[in-house]
């Protein structure tokens, strides 16, 4: 599913109007009707319910007036409160304002005088609030009086449905610079808006419904940017079939080079995750002085000892043992728990450019390339790098703060500069391909911020590549799969006590859910789709 900024959505709306002859009023009507369907679901019917709708002067307010009309016709008691004077409402919104008034319905102005008291009075017996104040064009800080209204709405204890995007949230960045609606539900029209899935915007969006407003599919395919929200539907299409006559060799062979003294868990987690993600055969190669430990920790995963420096970290001589191992492998993952010993750094820098099978670089493999990131541009095989913000900062020579302020831009830059698929970890993981395509992952939760979670992700991505997925799809599907497993684990155990092993244990259930009806669920967010 494409994901857009507010300006990109406006361009698509404009093209639908100018190039396809779909009037703005039709789009507004479709949007309002879809929002009504959500409200009916939230309230389990609207007849006899009291619904208070807050509108602004633009198209968002026009959507709110369409919602008001249909709810009234369905038997709800509807109160419309405006943050602007009637004369400020224009365009298609003004048409719907006139319809509402011709139905002998009032619009209460709350932007002057005792407006706050009117708001408080209106909310006293309200069952649900509809936020149609500001749309996707909002930037910066709002008018102080409107901010006070929003504070009252947020503190009312009433469920809030936001129209297209919570008022006060920037659609392109997810930035919140002042008072902002904290919605329980957001119904967003046409395509999901980027700001709903970037922090801190995601915290304000609640449950998200993407509503079809009848934009021509050919228009979206042609004009929308190559930026995607990863969905269950996508992942289901990408995952390879598992035919009845298949054997373990059909599902790929994974080699993982990982581990050091004190970091055997990282190697173990990556190996188990690869196996639990569907790979047929998984081998974990570790420094020989910790090999016996790995033999005890792992049963289904095979292990191989590699030359080390006597202190539990790999030596440069390990390369001669690794190269023959690769002859029968479909993918190599390297990095989890390797340590940053000088010999490990030299080994990674020498080994990576010589690999000729798909490669996943994580953790200490990325740390080894800090200051020498140009090596990534010399790789002979397709590669996925999976840095967290700190590792990305070291690779790019930038402060971590700068990485976090433009996660998408930095991921895109890295992918294009080094010609590698770049997965930037964090809340709403970003996957960028060298061709400019970007994928945003909606699954996952704060409980997954625990040691070893990234090692699990490495194993999953390597497993999916071994099963035949292209690296960019393996990274995107892997992020979704990893987050979904974390969400299922958190649902059972809570977030505070969640550990990486719980994510691995939930991988089969996540795979089973992906094989069933397509519904993307995370601890904080549910993404529905109306059509």
């Amino acid at each position: 599913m494409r994901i857009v900024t507010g300006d990109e959505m406006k361009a698509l709306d404009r093209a639908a109007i100018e190039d396809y002859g779909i009037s703005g009023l039709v789009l507004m009507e479709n949007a309002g009707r879809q929002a009504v369907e959500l409200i009916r679901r939230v309230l389990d019917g609207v007849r006899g319910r009291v619904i208070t709708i807050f509108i602004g002067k633009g198209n968002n307010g026009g959507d709110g007036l369409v919602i008001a009309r249909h709810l009234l016709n369905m038997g709800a008691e509807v109160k419309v409160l405006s943050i602007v004077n009637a004369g400020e409402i224009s365009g298609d919104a003004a048409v719907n304002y006139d319809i509402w008034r011709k139905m002998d319905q009032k619009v209460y102005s709350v932007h002057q005088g005792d407006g706050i008291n009117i708001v408080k009075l209106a909310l006293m017996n309200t069952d649900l609030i509809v936020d149609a104040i500001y749309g996707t064009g909002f930037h910066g800080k709002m008018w102080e009086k409107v901010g006070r209204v929003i504070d009252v709405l947020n503190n009312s204890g009433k469920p809030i449905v936001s129209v297209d995007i919570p008022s006060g949230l920037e659609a392109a960045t997810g930035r919140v610079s002042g008072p902002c609606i904290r919605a329980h539900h957001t119904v967003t029209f046409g395509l999901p808006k980027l700001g709903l899935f970037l922090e801190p915007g995601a915290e304000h969006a609640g449950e998200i419904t993407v509503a079809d407003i009848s934009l021509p599919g050919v228009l979206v395919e042609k004009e929308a940017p190559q930026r995607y929200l990863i969905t269950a539907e996508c992942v289901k299409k990408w995952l390879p079939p598992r035919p009845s006559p298949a054997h373990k060799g059909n599902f790929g062979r994974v080699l993982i080079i990982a581990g050091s003294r004190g970091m055997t868990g990282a190697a173990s987690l990556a190996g188990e995750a690869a196996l639990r993600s569907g790979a047929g055969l998984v081998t974990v190669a570790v420094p020989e002085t910790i090999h016996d430990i790995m033999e005890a920790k792992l049963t289904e995963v095979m292990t191989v000892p590699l030359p080390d420096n006597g202190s539990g970290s790999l030596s440069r001589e390990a390369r001669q043992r690794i190269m023959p191992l690769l002859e029968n492998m479909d993918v190599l993952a390297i990095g989890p728990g390797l340590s940053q010993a000088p010999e490990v750094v030299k080994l990674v820098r020498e080994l990576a450019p010589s690999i000729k099978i798909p490669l996943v670089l994580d953790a200490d493999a990325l740390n080894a390339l800090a200051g020498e990131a140009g090596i990534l541009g010399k790789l002979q095989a397709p590669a996925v790098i999976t840095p967290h913000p700190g590792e990305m900062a070291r690779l790019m020579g930038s402060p971590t703060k700068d990485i976090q302020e433009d996660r998408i831009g930095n991921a895109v830059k890295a992918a294009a500069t080094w010609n590698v698929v770049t997965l930037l970890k964090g809340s709403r993981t970003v996957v960028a391909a060298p061709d400019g395509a970007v994928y945003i992952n909606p699954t996952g939760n704060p409980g997954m911020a625990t040691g070893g979670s990234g090692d699990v992700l490495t194993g999953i991505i390597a497993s999916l590549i071994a099963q035949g997925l292209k690296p960019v799809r393996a990274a995107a599907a892997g992020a979704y799969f990893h987050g979904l497993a974390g969400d299922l684990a958190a649902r059972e155990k809570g977030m505070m006590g969640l550990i990486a092993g719980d994510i691995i244990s939930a991988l089969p259930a996540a795979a089973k859910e992906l094989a069933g009806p397509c519904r993307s669920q995370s601890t904080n967010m549910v993404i529905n789709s109306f059509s």
Side-chain angles (χ1 to χ4, degrees):
M1 180 184 293
R2 305 290 179 98
I3 183 168
V4 294
T5 66
D7 288 343
E8 290 164 349
M9 191 69 233
K10 286 180 181 177
L12 289 170
D13 287 342
R14 185 166 55 252
I17 294 167
E18 296 176 357
D19 300 340
Y20 291 82
I22 303 173
S23 76
L25 282 170
V26 169
L27 295 176
M28 187 173 286
E29 189 73 14
N30 290 344
R33 287 300 301 265
Q34 292 283 32
V36 168
E37 289 305 309
L38 172 66
I39 293 166
R40 290 176 66 182
R41 177 170 65 82
V42 170
L43 292 177
D44 194 23
V46 298
R47 181 169 294 277
R49 297 299 192 111
V50 181
I51 299 167
T52 303
I53 301 175
F54 290 81
I55 66 169
K57 64 181 180 180
N59 284 345
N60 202 245
D63 296 336
L65 288 160
V66 173
I67 294 166
R69 169 163 38 90
H70 287 292
L71 289 174
L72 184 68
N73 290 341
M74 292 175 182
E77 180 183 338
V78 182
K79 294 175 281 189
V80 177
L81 282 64
S82 175
I83 64 161
V84 297
N85 287 319
E88 297 180 66
I89 300 173
S90 60
D92 293 336
V95 174
N96 279 293
Y97 177 86
D98 290 340
I99 294 171
W100 181 249
R101 294 305 306 271
K102 288 174 181 177
M103 293 171 66
D104 293 327
Q105 298 301 313
K106 294 181 179 180
V107 175
Y108 300 91
S109 178
V110 298
H111 73 291
Q112 294 180 347
D114 60 350
I116 287 294
N117 291 329
I118 295 174
V119 171
K120 292 178 179 178
L121 185 63
L123 296 180
M124 288 181 63
N125 65 338
T126 290
D127 294 306
L128 182 139
I129 296 166
V130 175
D131 157 37
I133 300 173
Y134 292 118
T136 57
F138 176 83
H139 296 281
K141 293 186 178 181
M142 65 182 62
W143 190 27
E144 182 181 351
K145 290 184 178 180
V146 180
R148 290 203 294 268
V149 170
I150 286 177
D151 286 339
V152 171
L153 301 187
N154 284 339
N155 293 321
S156 68
K158 309 290 185 179
I160 302 175
V161 172
S162 281
V163 175
D164 213 14
I165 195 165
S167 294
L169 173 60
E170 293 188 8
T173 64
R175 189 175 295 120
V176 173
S177 301
C180 180
I181 288 288
R182 287 191 171 271
H184 298 80
H185 304 266
T186 296
V187 54
T188 193
F189 305 126
L191 294 171
K193 310 309 180 295
L194 190 57
L196 297 172
F197 296 92
L198 301 177
E199 298 296 350
E203 296 180 9
H204 290 75
E207 179 179 310
I208 298 171
T209 296
V210 182
D212 178 18
I213 58 172
S214 298
L215 290 175
V218 65
L219 169 63
V220 172
E221 189 64 28
K222 180 181 177 182
E223 301 293 341
Q226 298 295 306
R227 190 189 308 114
Y228 301 89
L229 179 68
I230 310 169
T231 64
E233 288 84 352
C234 288
V235 177
K236 280 186 66 174
K237 291 176 183 176
W238 295 341
L239 291 179
R242 300 182 79 87
S244 298
H247 57 82
K248 59 190 177 184
N250 293 122
F251 302 121
R253 294 171 169 84
V254 177
L255 176 63
I256 299 172
I257 300 174
S260 59
R261 183 168 295 168
M263 297 293 287
T264 58
S268 176
L269 289 167
E272 289 187 80
L275 205 57
R276 283 291 189 184
S277 303
L281 293 163
V282 179
T283 301
V284 175
V286 298
E288 57 189 354
T289 55
I290 65 169
H291 181 254
D292 288 348
I293 298 172
M294 299 306 298
E295 286 276 79
K297 289 174 76 75
L298 297 171
T299 50
E300 291 90 348
V301 175
M302 296 175 285
T303 61
V304 172
L306 296 176
D308 70 19
N309 60 7
S311 300
S313 296
L314 292 177
S315 69
R316 294 176 71 181
E317 285 69 32
R319 180 181 176 185
Q320 283 68 45
R321 180 73 177 94
I322 292 167
M323 296 308 290
L325 289 174
L326 296 173
E327 293 177 3
N328 296 317
M329 297 295 170
D330 296 300
V331 62
L332 169 65
I334 181 169
L338 275 182
S339 85
Q340 297 181 48
E343 285 199 74
V344 170
V345 172
K346 293 176 182 178
L347 172 65
V348 171
R349 291 180 177 182
E350 293 172 358
L351 179 65
S354 65
I355 303 302
K356 296 182 179 179
I357 61 172
L359 185 62
V360 182
L361 294 161
D362 181 39
D364 285 329
L366 297 176
N367 289 327
L369 297 178
E372 294 289 342
I375 290 172
L376 291 170
K378 301 175 183 178
L379 299 180
Q380 298 186 56
V384 178
I385 63 171
T386 61
H388 59 55
E391 291 163 346
M392 181 71 110
R394 288 190 284 275
L395 284 173
M396 299 187 78
S398 302
T400 303
K401 178 176 178 290
D402 291 352
I403 300 297
Q404 288 292 75
E405 285 181 352
D406 186 8
R407 288 171 52 78
I408 293 175
N410 282 299
V412 168
K413 180 180 178 181
T417 300
W418 300 317
N419 195 36
V420 295
V421 174
T422 301
L423 183 151
L424 180 55
K425 298 173 186 173
S427 179
R428 309 299 169 234
T429 289
V430 176
V431 178
D435 65 3
V438 177
Y439 298 82
I440 311 294
N441 181 50
T443 60
N445 63 81
M448 298 174 70
T450 182
S453 180
D455 305 319
V456 174
L457 178 59
T458 296
I460 294 171
I461 294 170
S463 175
L464 294 176
I465 292 175
Q467 292 173 69
L469 271 70
K470 294 180 179 179
V472 66
R473 288 187 172 182
Y480 187 97
F481 194 13
H482 179 250
L484 178 59
D487 291 337
L488 294 175
R491 203 173 302 164
E492 177 185 350
K493 300 175 181 293
M495 288 189 283
M496 184 177 291
L498 200 67
I499 60 174
D502 297 328
I503 301 172
I504 293 176
S505 297
L507 285 172
K512 183 178 179 182
E513 182 163 315
L514 285 172
C518 292
R519 193 155 186 260
S520 164
Q521 295 191 348
S522 81
T523 304
N524 300 326
M525 183 181 301
V526 178
I527 303 169
N528 300 304
S529 182
F530 284 168
S531 59

